[in-house]
């Protein structure tokens, strides 16, 4: 079956702009989590959605937001980009309540803010 | 949710050798998961061990769990250059909690 698809793969944006990243989970998975990975901070949890509702949220400013659609696809948005937002953004899908089988991650979106 | 702490931070070995990395956590868990990340890519789920299990195998991987010491270890036998990656552990308190990752162990396997 198809894996987790993240688009775009690479993105270059200018400081102050906004960006939207997309994640399509594995078919049948209704939970989508987002992580930010940087060399300095490592893997940081952003938020998690299940059935179009945000279930968990990490410690990120309000510039970071997300949503999930009825087909379980998710988007995350970062407004007023800062240089420090340059990172690899990873999406992971899982079956809510059955995550003991692990998360499946996408290949990530590499965002560079200049 | 709790974060696991991997040790060592970095490990360098030769092909064919075994690699052992450890993970410690603070409070009781439902399960503990290990993931691998090749440079610049997404994480790959390797193995999950439940709190009532002591040892689990998957191919060249062997994971142990000692709940009394709140620690787990991942052993990779007969390492290959392709095993070069970062390895993360993620303890999970319940099946509903988010996974929190530590800084990982960077494994370098030289030919």
């Amino acid at each position: 079956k198809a894996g987790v698809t993240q688009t775009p793969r690479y993105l270059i944006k200018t400081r102050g702009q906004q960006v939207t990243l997309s994640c399509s989970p594995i078919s049948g998975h209704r939970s989508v989590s987002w992580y930010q990975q940087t060399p300095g901070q490592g893997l940081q949890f952003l938020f998690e959605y299940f059935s179009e509702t945000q279930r968990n949220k990490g410690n990120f400013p309000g510039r970071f937001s997300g949503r999930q659609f009825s087909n379980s696809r998710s988007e995350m948005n970062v407004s007023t980009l800062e240089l420090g937002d340059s990172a690899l953004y990873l999406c992971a899908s899982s079956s809510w309540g059955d995550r003991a089988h692990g998360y499946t991650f996408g290949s990530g979106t590499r965002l560079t803010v200049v | 949710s709790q974060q696991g702490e991997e040790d060592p931070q970095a490990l360098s070995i030769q092909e064919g050798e075994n690699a052992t990395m450890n993970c410690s956590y603070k409070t009781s868990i439902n399960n503990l998961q290990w993931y691998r990340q090749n440079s610049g890519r997404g994480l790959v789920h390797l193995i999950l061990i439940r709190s009532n299990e002591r040892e689990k195998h998957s191919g060249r991987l062997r994971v142990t769990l000692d709940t009394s010491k709140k620690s787990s270890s991942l052993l990779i036998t007969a390492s290959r250059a392709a095993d070069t990656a970062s390895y993360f552990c993620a303890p999970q308190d319940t099946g509903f909690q988010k996974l929190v990752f530590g800084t990982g162990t960077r494994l370098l396997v030289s030919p």
Side-chain angles (χ1 to χ4, degrees):
Chain A
K1 57 184 176 181
V4 177
T5 303
Q6 288 189 248
T7 57
R9 186 79 178 86
Y10 299 93
L11 205 47
I12 300 175
K13 288 288 189 178
T14 303
R15 196 169 42 180
Q17 287 186 313
Q18 74 163 19
V19 67
T20 299
L21 311 181
S22 177
C23 172
S24 293
I26 286 176
S27 177
H29 282 185
R30 296 167 65 189
S31 178
V32 173
S33 301
W34 288 90
Y35 291 84
Q36 180 198 65
Q37 187 175 34
T38 60
Q41 298 297 317
L43 270 164
Q44 301 284 307
F45 173 79
L46 279 157
F47 26 66
E48 177 174 34
Y49 288 87
F50 174 75
S51 289
E52 303 177 64
T53 301
Q54 189 180 87
R55 301 289 176 154
N56 284 299
K57 190 176 189 305
N59 295 323
F60 278 81
R63 300 185 298 106
F64 291 82
S65 63
R67 59 178 176 169
Q68 186 179 35
F69 302 95
S70 58
N71 62 358
S72 294
R73 189 177 71 86
S74 176
E75 288 182 348
M76 67 162 281
N77 183 277
V78 187
S79 62
T80 319
L81 283 166
E82 300 176 0
L83 296 179
D85 297 332
S86 294
L88 178 66
Y89 289 87
L90 294 167
C91 156
S93 80
S94 63
S95 299
W96 181 267
D98 187 30
R99 271 164 312 153
H101 287 92
Y103 286 17
T104 302
F105 281 80
S107 296
T109 293
R110 172 75 63 184
L111 171 65
T112 302
V113 182
V114 297
Chain B
S1 302
Q2 62 177 308
Q3 177 177 311
E5 193 170 315
E6 297 91 350
D7 176 73
Q9 287 190 328
L11 183 59
S12 184
I13 60 174
Q14 300 289 121
E15 258 189 335
E17 294 180 338
N18 294 342
T20 300
M21 49 205 88
N22 304 296
C23 169
S24 61
Y25 56 92
K26 291 186 165 49
T27 62
S28 61
I29 59 173
N30 172 278
N31 67 79
L32 187 141
Q33 304 176 32
W34 285 92
Y35 289 80
R36 180 190 76 228
Q37 183 181 33
N38 292 90
S39 181
R41 308 290 294 181
L43 279 71
V44 174
H45 180 254
L46 295 176
I47 201 164
L48 178 149
I49 187 164
R50 299 180 191 276
S51 60
N52 61 353
E53 297 175 311
R54 291 297 166 257
E55 189 171 310
K56 206 160 180 181
H57 297 254
S58 177
R60 295 181 297 110
L61 306 181
R62 172 177 162 247
V63 167
T64 61
L65 179 65
D66 187 334
T67 54
S68 66
K69 294 181 180 177
K70 294 186 174 55
S71 67
S72 174
S73 67
L74 169 67
L75 168 68
I76 305 174
T77 60
S79 295
R80 306 166 181 167
D83 294 326
T84 294
S86 289
Y87 291 82
F88 298 88
C89 71
Q92 195 171 34
D93 300 345
T94 72
F96 292 92
Q97 292 205 323
K98 62 182 186 283
L99 289 188
V100 179
F101 295 94
T103 54
T105 291
R106 290 191 311 279
L107 173 65
L108 173 64
V109 183
S110 302

